[in-house]
Amino acid sequence: MSYITTGQAHKQLKASKKEVVVDGRGHLLGRLASVVAKHLLNGTHVTVVRCEEINQTGSHIRNKFKFIQFLRKRTNTNPKRGPIHQRAPSKWFARVVRGMLPEKNRRSTEAQARLKAFEGVPPPYDKIKRFVVPEALRVVKLSSARPYSNLGKLASQLGWKHSELIGRLEAVRKESAGEYYAAKKAAAKTKVTSSAEVDAINAELATYGY
């Protein structure tokens, strides 16, 4: 199982050369969104992966009721006119970032176009170095006594239907990454051993004047 194995042929995602990939796991929603919004306005392309692992301050039940109240907001005459209530964690995060950008002008539109957000870590971002934002990490900025909630858990209880699928795909990715890292460590160990053997041979040859 992989991110690109379905019945349809999907276009392969490509990473931009000037793109910054941020791992959303363990970050606070508002703090991360504010940093991302600033970089988007400065012209940086930002991709945020593992949006389902982003944290939000406040207890789970409190944040759940806040979103339920948001779901009640709609146009009385025609609900299709909005607001549109997205259920996916990546869409939630993109909406929070949108609220931190200027309203209805070209600069804002271009900044929003530079943002990509995903659940899990789809290709090719599983092979790219991912960064964290220290000023937005929960373990750094939130007291251990304060409650917090998980965006993926909230979304799955409010209409997001792909939590189990993302979990399976992430398990496959982590297993593959573990095998790659183990092989890399073994190769590095072999290289060190061979280097020590070469040094011993060179020392012996030096005694003969070579």
Side-chain angles (χ1 to χ4, degrees):
M1 181 180 292
S2 68
Y3 281 89
I4 316 181
T5 54
T6 61
Q8 300 176 355
H10 292 281
K11 185 178 180 181
Q12 177 72 32
L13 297 173
K14 295 183 179 179
S16 171
K17 292 183 179 179
K18 297 181 180 179
E19 194 170 15
V20 176
V21 182
V22 178
D23 189 349
R25 180 177 180 271
H27 288 76
L28 293 174
L29 177 62
R31 288 181 179 270
L32 178 60
S34 63
V35 174
V36 169
K38 187 64 176 178
H39 281 78
L40 292 174
L41 290 173
N42 289 337
T44 306
H45 291 260
V46 181
T47 298
V48 182
V49 296
R50 292 212 282 186
C51 288
E52 76 280 3
E53 296 293 337
I54 293 176
N55 298 137
Q56 187 175 5
T57 56
S59 66
H60 174 79
I61 193 67
R62 176 183 175 85
N63 289 327
K64 183 176 179 180
F65 278 122
K66 283 170 66 177
F67 195 81
I68 290 174
Q69 288 178 346
F70 172 62
L71 292 179
R72 295 196 187 104
K73 292 178 170 59
R74 63 177 190 170
T75 303
N76 279 338
T77 54
N78 187 358
K80 291 183 179 180
R81 292 180 180 175
I84 305 301
H85 309 293
Q86 300 286 356
R87 300 315 204 272
S90 59
K91 301 294 185 182
W92 285 11
F93 178 76
R95 187 186 179 98
V96 174
V97 173
R98 187 187 73 180
M100 297 182 179
L101 296 173
E103 272 193 88
K104 299 178 182 178
N105 58 28
R106 182 176 177 181
R107 185 171 180 237
S108 175
T109 303
E110 292 176 352
Q112 291 180 53
R114 297 187 195 106
L115 174 65
K116 296 178 187 176
F118 300 99
E119 291 84 19
V121 189
Y125 303 108
D126 54 342
K127 301 289 194 303
I128 297 176
K129 183 177 180 180
R130 298 183 289 277
F131 294 89
V132 298
V133 183
E135 57 266 32
L137 286 173
R138 176 182 55 80
V139 294
V140 176
K141 291 297 182 180
L142 189 67
S143 170
S144 59
R146 295 292 182 181
Y148 64 92
S149 56
N150 180 273
L151 219 59
K153 184 179 178 181
L154 279 171
S156 62
Q157 293 181 1
L158 293 168
W160 183 48
K161 301 178 181 179
H162 303 294
S163 178
E164 293 183 3
L165 173 62
I166 294 298
R168 293 199 302 269
L169 293 174
E170 282 295 281
V172 172
R173 180 188 67 81
K174 290 176 182 178
E175 182 180 357
S176 176
E179 294 174 356
Y180 169 78
Y181 182 66
K184 186 178 179 181
K185 283 177 65 178
K189 187 176 181 180
T190 304
K191 186 176 180 181
V192 171
T193 305
S194 62
S195 177
E197 293 175 354
V198 170
D199 291 340
I201 294 172
N202 288 337
E204 186 176 353
L205 289 174
T207 59
Y208 296 104
Y210 291 99

